[in-house]
Amino acid sequence: MELMKLTALELGEKIKAKEISVREALDAVSAAKEKTDAKVNAYTDFDKELSDKEADRIQKLIDAGDSKSPLAGVPIGIKDNISTKGMLTTCASKILTGYKPAFDATAVSKVRDAGMVVTGKLNMDEFAMGSTSETSVYGPVKNPWDTGKVPGGSSGGAAAAVAACEAVVTLGSDTGGSIRQPASYCGVTGFKPSYGAVSRYGLIAYASSLDQIGPIAKDVRDCAAVMDVISGGDVNDSTSNAAFASGAEGVNENGFLASLNGDVKGLKVGVPAECFGEGVDPKVEESVKGMIKELESAGAVAVPISLDFIRFAVPTYYIIATAEASSNLSRFDGVKYGYRAKEADSIDDLFINSRSEGFGGEVKKRIMLGTFVLSSGYYDAYYNKALKMKQMIMDGFAGAFGNCDVIVCPTAPMTAPKIGESLSDPMKMYLSDIFTVSLNLAGLPGLSVPCGFDAQNMPIGAQIIGPAGGDLKVLNAGHAFQLATDHHKKFPEVG
Ligand code: GLN
């Protein structure tokens, strides 16, 4: 299965050079999935018939010289909450049983336009609510490094599939860490772009002011190549920003991939005191500090900084995210999409029964919490206060970036827990989001790169944070680290 160890860009090169065909690349993914997925459970659907057709169409374009992207012909897996035309899109929820969208999400149409082949959908926490990928209606995803452990979440399938070499590259979504934290737990590279860098059109909304689509890949170069394809403005998403398009003035003039030079000389790397020490696994701390040392050897300058507001990030996030979710998920009523309760005496009963039977426990809990914080009498005490905290967190980061160019901290305070452990202690699970959620509240870009292993050989991830629009800086710092190290080149024996 050596083909599956190639990065997306390496595979794209082989396809371009006609060393392998688009069909062969696709068949390699499908064979890897057949061999491995019974153990990992990363896929919720794999549409070989549709992707075979797509592969043949793209092969013709490549043969005619009409497909210029370096990723042309490369297979890509998509998280199950991103709409794919004619392909199941269920958010790993019973309530969307059988739902096949009539349109592609903008990010999906862009990867198709670049000649990438959409292979299938990837498992996740129901409606992207979770940090472990255990709440899926399809059953939990397993971490390929130890199948008794979780892969992280909510994009657990998208990260585990790349780690287990049963996907070349994937698209995930990140509302509070769902790309970066599973990337960290699975030893792969995951990038959450600045808010607005990628259109959210067709991403089934969890918390619209925080959600972003981004790549999960074997290395930073692949993430940059995918970003060149999917970033930019979109008339269907008024929060998307045209400045992020490859070639647009400002953020991404020469394209993310072409701009990666690994030069970090003089780059000021902020090291926040609050993200180390108590509550952080010592081995995680050691590995992340090792990464900072490595960046220093490449010419970067480490500067101590403080992010004292970070302790407010988790409560602020869980108020805003659940408030938005309670509104966004009201559209699932048993009438328009997916699952409908069999028994109902009235239209109200139909709504109640469909939602009671169709949503899982974690989703119901969050809808109730979100409805509560928005209800009159509690709105000011919770939701309004959280909005003020959100502004304070944005200002806090802006202040911190007055002293540094990027910030480095652990992606998560520990490595992947055992399956079952977190659901029995949900508070612990929510608190483990401490280093990731604040970026979504502030709209900042964040990258998780593998930076070591703990005593049980479980991967550790370091997070590089940039100011809004500093996506290239973040990617370039990660690239510099990957040029000097090979943590990202290790693969698990899936057993
Ligand atoms: N773990 C966080 C939550 O449960 C983040 C999830 C996400 O980013 N989608 O809300």
Side-chain angles (χ1 to χ4, degrees):
M1 214 60 72
E2 284 305 306
L3 213 52
M4 291 305 296
K5 292 201 169 155
L6 298 178
T7 66
L9 284 165
E10 287 165 349
L11 195 61
E13 246 168 58
K14 288 203 183 297
I15 291 170
K16 193 172 170 197
K18 302 267 157 59
E19 280 173 48
I20 59 165
S21 67
V22 181
R23 269 289 190 120
E24 279 164 341
L26 180 59
D27 289 346
V29 176
S30 145
K33 187 216 160 231
E34 281 312 307
K35 184 168 165 258
T36 315
D37 209 45
K39 292 178 198 139
V40 180
N41 199 26
Y43 282 92
T44 57
D45 190 35
F46 196 91
D47 205 325
K48 186 73 168 56
E49 213 176 295
L50 260 185
S51 38
D52 272 348
K53 273 195 213 138
E54 199 51 12
D56 293 344
R57 185 183 71 82
I58 288 161
Q59 186 71 62
K60 283 196 195 111
L61 289 178
I62 293 173
D63 292 346
D66 287 339
S67 203
K68 302 274 179 288
S69 165
L71 296 176
V74 175
I76 184 165
I78 310 285
K79 187 176 177 182
D80 197 35
N81 59 349
I82 303 176
S83 301
T84 41
K85 187 174 174 178
M87 225 182 223
L88 284 173
T89 301
T90 71
C91 290
S93 178
K94 181 174 170 186
I95 208 153
L96 278 172
T97 307
Y99 172 57
K100 290 185 177 175
F103 66 100
D104 274 329
T106 299
V108 172
S109 36
K110 285 185 167 186
V111 300
R112 289 197 207 275
D113 288 348
M116 298 188 82
V117 181
V118 174
T119 54
K121 304 309 287 283
L122 294 156
N123 210 350
M124 55 186 277
D125 280 300
E126 185 180 4
F127 279 99
M129 296 175 185
S131 310
T132 60
S133 300
E134 292 171 286
T135 65
S136 163
V137 72
Y138 305 100
V141 184
K142 320 279 172 58
N143 192 311
W145 291 90
D146 176 348
T147 50
K149 295 194 166 160
V150 306
S154 65
S155 312
V162 174
C165 292
E166 48 169 331
V168 182
V169 62
T170 57
L171 287 187
S173 72
D174 191 312
T175 305
S178 278
I179 288 175
R180 292 159 283 153
Q181 184 256 30
S184 154
Y185 283 4
C186 290
V188 293
T189 306
F191 182 57
K192 176 238 173 262
S194 289
Y195 188 74
V198 178
S199 167
R200 288 179 296 107
Y201 180 68
L203 167 65
I204 297 178
Y206 164 11
S208 318
S209 76
L210 312 170
D211 296 341
Q212 268 294 279
I213 292 175
I216 299 182
K218 294 200 183 81
D219 66 8
V220 174
R221 292 188 79 240
D222 275 4
C223 286
V226 172
M227 280 303 292
D228 280 333
V229 171
I230 63 174
S231 61
D234 177 11
V235 287
N236 291 319
D237 173 6
S238 59
T239 63
S240 66
N241 187 341
F244 286 90
S246 189
E249 225 169 273
V251 181
N252 190 15
E253 269 159 53
N254 302 311
F256 289 119
L257 179 62
S259 308
L260 290 185
N261 56 16
D263 181 1
V264 290
K265 274 191 202 72
L267 185 82
K268 280 198 201 150
V269 177
V271 185
E274 293 77 3
C275 303
F276 297 93
E278 205 199 322
V280 177
D281 179 314
K283 187 66 198 158
V284 170
E285 170 154 354
E286 185 191 315
S287 299
V288 176
K289 290 208 162 141
M291 160 152 164
I292 296 167
K293 285 244 155 56
E294 202 64 62
L295 290 174
E296 284 185 295
S297 319
V301 184
V303 288
I305 61 161
S306 165
L307 300 178
D308 54 354
F309 53 84
I310 200 128
R311 63 187 194 278
F312 302 119
V314 170
T316 304
Y317 169 82
Y318 276 96
I319 291 172
I320 293 179
T322 54
E324 292 186 26
S326 71
S327 163
N328 277 326
L329 270 60
S330 65
R331 73 193 66 176
F332 305 106
D333 55 8
V335 176
K336 302 186 203 70
Y337 326 82
Y339 178 78
R340 178 175 301 172
K342 304 272 171 309
E343 309 276 329
D345 293 332
S346 65
I347 186 75
D348 281 349
D349 267 6
L350 179 74
F351 296 157
I352 293 168
N353 295 352
S354 301
R355 287 167 69 82
S356 302
E357 293 162 26
F359 287 132
E362 185 66 27
V363 175
K364 282 185 203 159
K365 181 162 72 182
R366 295 192 188 204
I367 292 174
M368 285 195 284
L369 188 59
T371 308
F372 174 76
V373 299
L374 288 176
S375 57
S376 70
Y378 293 102
Y379 185 95
D380 280 330
Y382 294 103
Y383 185 66
N384 239 347
K385 223 183 246 173
L387 286 184
K388 287 183 188 144
M389 292 306 303
K390 182 181 190 226
Q391 188 58 50
M392 204 190 85
I393 290 169
M394 288 176 104
D395 297 344
F397 269 117
F401 283 116
N403 302 321
C404 60
D405 301 307
V406 296
I407 296 170
V408 171
C409 69
T411 306
M414 61 216 176
T415 55
K418 290 205 182 79
I419 291 177
E421 215 171 73
S422 308
L423 292 185
S424 59
D425 187 356
M427 212 48 203
K428 194 171 160 199
M429 180 176 86
Y430 299 158
L431 288 171
S432 75
D433 291 339
I434 179 146
F435 300 141
T436 49
V437 293
S438 53
L439 277 70
N440 300 69
L441 291 167
L444 311 181
L447 174 75
S448 181
V449 287
C451 68
F453 292 85
D454 71 5
Q456 278 98 43
N457 201 35
M458 293 306 288
I460 297 169
Q463 178 173 232
I464 306 173
I465 310 169
D471 300 51
L472 181 55
K473 265 189 214 169
V474 167
L475 291 167
N476 201 39
H479 178 55
F481 180 64
Q482 293 190 337
L483 283 176
T485 55
D486 64 356
H487 304 291
H488 61 292
K489 291 190 180 147
K490 304 215 167 94
F491 297 101
E493 283 297 329
V494 185

